[in-house]
Amino acid sequence: ALDASLYFQLESIRILANLLSPFLPESVQSILISLGYSDPGAELSQAATVIGKLESGQRVVKGQSLFPRREKK
């Protein structure tokens, strides 16, 4: 049950990244690299918004913060 829950959470992140790619291209590239895609540009397509494209057992890598905090002046 936990495996399935984590899988669908990662799938949701992958699909949202694909939908946001026209607006946040650099951030989406970082998200897809963190999800284990070596060629994130190839992952971006209309067909990529279908559930089940993320391979089971694919390693997730911790990346840098996508939106770092701004320091108060």
Side-chain angles (χ1 to χ4, degrees):
L2 180 60
D3 291 345
S5 176
L6 290 174
Y7 177 82
F8 284 110
Q9 288 176 17
L10 291 173
E11 271 289 273
S12 298
I13 291 170
R14 183 189 63 79
I15 291 169
L16 286 171
N18 275 283
L19 294 173
L20 289 172
S21 63
F23 309 103
L24 302 167
E26 294 87 15
S27 297
V28 167
Q29 295 284 328
S30 296
I31 291 169
L32 293 175
I33 288 171
S34 294
L35 289 177
Y37 290 99
S38 57
D39 185 12
E43 173 59 22
L44 298 174
S45 70
Q46 194 69 11
T49 58
V50 176
I51 292 179
K53 296 282 186 177
L54 188 65
E55 293 181 24
S56 181
Q58 191 165 337
R59 291 251 180 222
V60 177
V61 183
K62 182 176 180 178
Q64 293 184 4
S65 177
L66 293 176
F67 308 105
R69 291 184 195 185
R70 289 185 151 181
E71 297 295 324
K72 291 184 179 181
K73 294 181 180 182

